[in-house]
């Protein structure tokens, strides 16, 4: 199948873009001309197809030539080099892991078996830290890990990483955020302090470069150092840069426990003042004393949505 590395669409969201692409493939395949006895490289028969459009499943066969789906429908009499009988099974496009960590592992072992075995064909990375930008400040703490796997960081920008990955090969699609903690560490290291105006400007330049290179937005992991050293105002300024390129603000918030409501308020404030959509990673309520409070969490998010902010949340199983 095709090996692609996603670059940033100038507008819209990743999931929307993929859904449109999947629907177009399905639509074009259904209306494509079919001979009375078509021949395929691969024929998947008798499956229940869920095509990613949001509609119910439908029964159909799928014909593949090379790395393209060329026919979907009742393909009676079709011949194929390989035939898969999918009776009683669901056939669907690859799943999207919206928060993975395969950016380095794919350079160590580019087979991606742990993802592909789960049906995952697209992964979005970059939770607070990200694969770029890199310099001596960010590489030095990684040295034990890099030495263990005999891995060399020979890129400084996101574009440089993409070129390395394309050259080496990847079986899954990769997209990424630029991490707010990553740009902070690249400029001021692990110091727990507010950046100077000059340092903040440099951080904003690094965000701009990453967005130009294909980042989907800026992400934070505010529960870990050095991410939690950043004040809200700093994050707003960085998110404003991402907004200029149609990016979003995605966050592992400062708290999922007793201070979670304040953490949601912060995420909402960043979205509003920076003018960006907000994605809250792995939404939950932590700790037995908070059991039953998810209703209040959802109500707060819904209120922001009702007021016009595009804020969403994701959960892990």
């Amino acid at each position: 199948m095709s090996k692609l590395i996603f670059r940033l669409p100038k507008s819209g969201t990743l999931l929307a873009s993929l859904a449109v692409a999947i629907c177009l493939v399905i639509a074009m395949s259904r209306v494509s001309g079919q001979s009375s006895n078509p021949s395929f490289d691969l024929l998947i028969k008798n499956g229940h197809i869920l095509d990613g459009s949001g509609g119910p499943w439908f029964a159909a066969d799928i014909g593949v030539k090379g790395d393209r789906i060329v026919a979907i429908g009742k393909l009676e009499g079709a011949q194929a080099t390989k035939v898969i009988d999918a009776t009683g099974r669901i056939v669907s496009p690859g799943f999207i892991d919206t928060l993975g960590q395969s950016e380095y592992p794919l350079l160590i072992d580019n087979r991606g078996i742990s993802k592909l075995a789960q049906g995952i064909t697209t992964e979005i990375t970059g939770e607070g830290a990200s694969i770029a930008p890199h310099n001596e400040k960010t590489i030095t703490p990684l040295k034990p890990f890099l030495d263990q796997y005999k891995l060399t960081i020979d890129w400084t920008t996101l574009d440089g990483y993409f070129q390395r990955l394309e050259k080496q090969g990847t079986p899954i699609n990769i997209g990424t955020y630029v991490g707010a903690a990553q740009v902070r560490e690249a400029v001021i290291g692990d110091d727990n302090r507010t950046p100077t105006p000059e340092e903040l400007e440099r951080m904003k330049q690094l965000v701009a470069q990453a967005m130009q290179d294909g980042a989907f937005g800026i992400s934070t992991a505010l529960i870990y150092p050095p991410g939690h050293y950043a004040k809200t105002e700093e994050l707003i300024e960085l998110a404003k840069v991402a907004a200029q390129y149609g990016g979003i603000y995605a966050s592992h918030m400062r708290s999922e426990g007793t201070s979670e409501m304040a953490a949601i308020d912060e995420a909402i404030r960043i979205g509003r003042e920076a003018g960006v959509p907000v994605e809250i990673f792995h939404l939950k309520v932590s700790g037995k004393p908070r059991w039953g409070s998810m209703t209040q969490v959802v109500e707060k998010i819904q209120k922001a949505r009702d007021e016009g902010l595009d804020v969403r949340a994701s959960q892990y199983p």
Side-chain angles (χ1 to χ4, degrees), residues 232-275:
T232 308
E233 292 74 18
E234 174 184 324
L235 300 176
I236 291 170
E237 291 304 307
L238 298 181
K240 285 179 179 178
V241 178
Q244 296 171 13
Y245 297 89
I248 74 170
Y249 172 73
S251 182
H252 179 154
M253 302 183 299
R254 290 189 195 273
S255 174
E256 296 162 344
T258 56
S259 301
E260 182 168 21
M261 300 302 272
I264 296 173
D265 286 336
E266 180 185 41
I268 289 171
R269 179 189 168 193
I270 291 169
R272 281 183 175 143
E273 296 192 22

Side-chain angles (χ1 to χ4, degrees), residues 1-4 41 63-70:
M1 302 300 289
S2 296
K3 295 180 177 117
L4 304 175
D41 297 321
V64 178
K65 285 187 177 181
D67 61 358
R68 293 289 184 271
I69 295 173
V70 295

Side-chain angles (χ1 to χ4, degrees), residues 197-226:
E198 293 77 15
E199 288 170 335
L200 182 58
E201 185 58 34
R202 177 59 182 148
M203 291 166 65
K204 291 165 68 174
Q205 291 171 2
L206 291 175
V207 173
Q209 179 66 57
M211 295 301 297
Q212 292 166 18
D213 286 349
F216 284 107
I218 187 163
S219 70
T220 57
L222 301 177
I223 210 164
Y224 309 113

Side-chain angles (χ1 to χ4, degrees), residues 26-49:
I26 297 295
M28 289 187 294
S29 300
R30 283 178 172 174
V31 300
S32 62
Q34 300 174 14
S35 63
S36 56
N37 291 293
S39 179
F40 306 107
D41 297 321
L42 171 65
L43 178 63
I44 304 174
K45 300 174 58 177
N46 307 318
H48 289 171
I49 297 176

Side-chain angles (χ1 to χ4, degrees), residues 125-160:
T125 73
E127 181 192 4
S130 56
I131 199 66
H134 266 306
N135 59 22
E136 196 60 33
K137 284 189 175 71
T138 61
I139 294 174
T140 298
L142 293 173
K143 195 172 187 308
F145 164 78
L146 298 173
D147 291 346
Q148 178 181 356
Y149 291 102
K150 298 178 174 58
L151 183 63
T152 300
I153 294 178
D154 57 3
W155 66 90
T156 58
T157 65
L158 184 55
D159 183 65

